[in-house]
Amino acid sequence: MPEPTDEKVLTYLRRLTADLRRTKERLRAAEAREHEPVAVIGMACRLPGGIATPEDLWSVLAEGRDAITPFPTDRDWDLAALHDPDPEKPGTCYALGGGFLNEATRFDADFFGIPPREATAMDPQQRLLLETSWEVLERAGLDAHTLKGSRTGVFVGLMHHEYAGLVRGIPREVEGYLGNGSAGGIASGRVAYTLGLRGPAVTVDTACSSSLVALHLAAQSLRQGECSLALAGGASVMASPLSLVEFSRMRGLSPDGRCRAFAEGADGTGFAEGVGLLLLERLSDARRNGHEVLAVVRGSAVNQDGASSGLTAPNGAAQERVIRDALAAAGLSGPDIDVVEGHGTGTRLGDPIEAGALLATYGQGRERPVWLGSLKSNIGHTQAAAGVAGVMKMVLAMRHGVLPRTLHAEVPTTRVDWTSGAVRLLTEEVRWEGDRRAAVSSFGVSGTNAHVILEAPPAEPPAEAPPSGQRLLWPLSAQSPEALREQARRLADAASGLDPADLSHSLVAGRAALRHRAAVVGTTTDDLRRGLAALLAGEPAGHLALGEAADSPSAVFVFPGQGAQWVGMAV
């Protein structure tokens, strides 16, 4: 065999070096994808206290309001028989109330093209998930119709599955619908089916940690390229009082339905209902697509208690591990975090264990204390939606630069040695400055723990303002004339304080064009409000026109108004 020449050896070494360089680049790219931040680009919710939007949630937090109410009257609950102060009495609940959703039994089935019989058989949790899915896309400036066929994922936490069992002697008209209408796995699938989404559709049930586990899985799926967008969150609606009765037997409820998180007066949890969804996207994609970034998910982790002192008893060591794993995934350390939104259910067993884990992790090696709070003190324990509700609270706090106070916590629990670390309860409102990083905990009675690290988004250059006095279009659309007027009412309520040009852009570019349409043309917010008032007042066609979309294009009709114009569009 001939000896290799120097030139051949040199060529081989060059090729080997090039291969090694490409391999290193691929490894770096894979590692970057594994830890790429995930952007929160939209939020939508239904929470106790009449909270129907994130703005409503912030109002409750900023004003320090308590959203706990008596038991709901719009369900087939025997309220006279349900409450009894004797915790030993079978089939009763000694708590006086909790955090309940207003009008949880209502649903606009026609909007989603669902037949009335099928809608009747649908668990309210599925109905509310559909509505908040549509809303979170709109709030992110996305037309839901344009996502049909896209690799958008749906990751939903759900823990109540008793709806079908409440139907006695199945009515003939809902036969064939009830199984799917109450199946947990259908909850995520129904959203994907209705919107035509083709990414992963996953329903998670780890009890009270479900929505935060769903968020963790959604972020992983985005980083792995399984989906380009992801809906992530959870829902809890108590179709029956079964959970209240069961926890009464366990002495786990607060008698007045309030969560006194980490407080000396903690006397049990207060159950609540809620629905919350986030719209997530890889940060690099969100920047490229021009989507507003509300916050960034830097890292997250999930683990299990394993064998502890009891099946449903929390494990402090496991909570410490999940915190450290989430920090490692985020590339951060404990002193980098400013505030923790705790699980904080207000129980004498769980809260001290959680506080101990926080003191051992976030409370060490820092110059300033880490703040600790719990949304449950305002709205109760929203169960499968608790984690996503806590994330929303922290995102809103970042954007407002304020940490809201935790209610009912004026005297911290003496079951915790607060001197063992720098952790302080948010008994008063605190200004939040600097980089703004937060952590959110969610621990399930299943033993599954989840922890998420959030931070404020990188600063963006200010958008170029449009020329003053520019004529703007504010379109509206809905599935019926009545719904169109409701849209006008809601827009009129929200218009004050909004930039008219930003509002015009959102309505034009980020809303689906539905069957019935109208629009205002003008230059100022006052123009917008006058045109909306004309629609609400049902003024004649000189000010207003309603157009119904036809299958073929037709003209745009412009009707002059006073300072504004209504445009009836049939296009």
Side-chain angles (χ1 to χ4, degrees):
M1 174 179 287
E3 291 292 328
T5 64
D6 290 345
E7 184 60 32
K8 287 183 178 180
V9 171
L10 189 59
T11 299
Y12 174 76
L13 290 175
R14 288 195 187 104
R15 187 182 303 118
L16 181 60
T17 301
D19 288 344
L20 288 172
R21 187 181 299 112
R22 283 191 293 269
T23 300
K24 285 182 178 180
E25 289 172 355
R26 284 196 295 269
L27 289 172
R28 277 196 296 267
E31 186 175 356
R33 281 196 304 273
E34 183 180 352
H35 297 285
E36 181 176 3
V38 169
V40 179
I41 63 171
M43 303 192 299
C45 62
R46 299 278 199 284
L47 295 169
I51 296 171
T53 65
E55 291 77 18
D56 291 344
L57 174 57
W58 182 250
S59 293
V60 167
L61 290 166
E63 297 168 15
R65 298 209 309 264
D66 182 322
I68 303 306
T69 64
F71 296 124
T73 58
D74 60 348
R75 306 171 201 184
D76 294 328
W77 294 9
D78 187 347
L79 298 181
L82 176 61
H83 175 70
D84 195 292
D86 180 6
E88 297 291 340
K89 188 172 181 180
T92 65
C93 170
Y94 62 80
L96 293 169
F100 299 99
L101 293 181
N102 295 344
E103 301 179 338
T105 58
R106 297 186 64 185
F107 177 56
D108 189 353
D110 185 59
F111 181 89
F112 295 100
I114 296 174
R117 288 181 298 175
E118 184 174 0
T120 300
M122 285 171 60
D123 188 319
Q125 295 170 133
Q126 291 190 22
R127 304 175 197 164
L128 288 166
L129 283 168
L130 276 179
E131 292 182 348
T132 49
S133 295
W134 185 276
E135 288 176 13
V136 76
L137 293 172
E138 282 200 335
R139 293 180 66 87
L142 296 176
D143 179 348
H145 295 155
T146 65
L147 295 182
K148 186 174 183 179
S150 70
R151 296 179 66 185
T152 299
V154 183
F155 299 82
V156 169
L158 204 69
M159 61 181 280
H160 290 295
H161 310 282
E162 72 265 29
Y163 186 70
L166 301 177
V167 182
R168 297 173 183 171
I170 299 176
R172 185 175 184 84
E173 62 269 18
V174 301
E175 286 182 356
Y177 293 115
L178 196 58
N180 287 343
S182 60
I186 295 293
S188 56
R190 191 183 291 277
V191 172
Y193 170 79
T194 303
L195 301 180
L197 311 178
R198 295 191 175 180
V202 179
T203 303
V204 176
D205 182 0
T206 60
C208 304
S209 58
S210 296
S211 62
L212 216 59
V213 173
L215 171 56
H216 170 76
L217 295 176
Q220 284 188 328
S221 184
L222 284 165
R223 292 184 181 114
Q224 292 169 6
E226 294 174 339
C227 54
S228 54
L229 289 168
L231 294 160
S236 279
V237 176
M238 291 179 281
S240 81
L242 176 63
S243 298
L244 297 164
V245 171
E246 286 293 301
F247 268 74
S248 286
R249 297 293 79 74
M250 297 167 61
R251 312 293 197 278
L253 295 179
S254 168
D256 66 0
R258 288 170 174 82
C259 294
R260 294 169 172 82
F262 308 108
E264 181 65 10
D267 55 0
T269 196
F271 275 156
E273 303 172 322
V275 181
L277 283 176
L278 308 172
L279 184 60
L280 307 176
E281 189 175 26
R282 288 182 293 271
L283 180 59
S284 58
D285 290 343
R287 291 293 190 226
R288 184 172 59 255
N289 294 329
H291 295 153
E292 182 184 13
V293 178
L294 306 179
V296 173
V297 179
R298 276 287 296 265
S300 59
V302 170
N303 75 357
Q304 238 287 333
D305 283 343
S308 61
S309 61
L311 174 63
T312 61
N315 185 324
Q319 291 182 15
E320 289 183 37
R321 283 195 300 274
V322 80
I323 289 169
R324 292 193 170 98
D325 288 347
L327 285 168
L332 299 171
S333 62
D336 295 321
I337 306 303
D338 305 313
V339 58
V340 177
E341 171 63 17
H343 190 58
T345 58
T347 61
R348 293 191 177 104
L349 173 65
D351 284 7
I353 291 174
E354 179 179 1
L358 295 173
L359 286 159
T361 51
Y362 290 115
Q364 306 303 310
R366 57 189 309 132
E367 297 178 2
R368 295 184 301 171
V370 64
W371 295 105
L372 172 61
S374 176
L375 173 61
K376 296 177 182 67
S377 71
N378 298 90
I379 65 172
H381 183 3
T382 52
Q383 305 173 82
V388 70
V391 169
M392 289 185 185
K393 172 188 172 181
M394 288 292 94
V395 172
L396 292 165
M398 283 178 183
R399 297 179 69 77
H400 288 273
V402 174
L403 295 172
R405 71 185 180 96
T406 294
L407 307 185
H408 321 304
E410 293 77 11
V411 180
T413 176
T414 55
R415 294 177 176 84
V416 172
D417 180 7
W418 296 101
T419 65
S420 64
V423 177
R424 300 291 180 269
L425 276 180
L426 278 163
T427 55
E428 296 294 338
E429 181 182 284
V430 172
R431 296 296 305 173
W432 193 5
E433 299 174 348
D435 294 333
R436 300 183 193 175
R437 294 194 180 100
V440 182
S441 285
S442 202
F443 308 128
V445 72
S446 64
T448 298
N449 309 307
H451 197 72
V452 171
I453 307 296
L454 305 169
E455 70 179 10
E460 296 182 79
E464 190 173 316
S468 60
Q470 182 180 17
R471 200 160 177 77
L472 300 169
L473 175 73
W474 296 286
L476 293 164
S477 71
Q479 293 288 59
S480 68
E482 295 77 18
L484 188 62
R485 288 188 170 85
E486 175 63 16
Q487 286 279 355
R489 184 194 64 77
R490 294 174 62 183
L491 185 58
D493 290 342
S496 297
L498 297 177
D499 180 86
D502 286 348
L503 183 58
S504 173
H505 174 76
S506 297
L507 292 172
V508 170
R511 295 293 185 272
L514 302 177
R515 190 178 181 190
H516 292 268
R517 309 176 193 178
V520 174
V521 176
T523 58
T524 68
T525 303
D526 287 341
D527 292 344
L528 171 62
R529 294 175 71 87
R530 278 193 292 269
L532 294 174
L535 175 59
L536 291 170
E539 293 188 7
H543 295 289
L544 158 68
L546 299 178
E548 181 169 332
D551 292 333
S552 59
S554 59
V556 175
F557 299 96
V558 180
F559 296 84
Q562 296 177 353
Q565 292 176 325
W566 275 106
V567 183
M569 295 181 291
V571 294

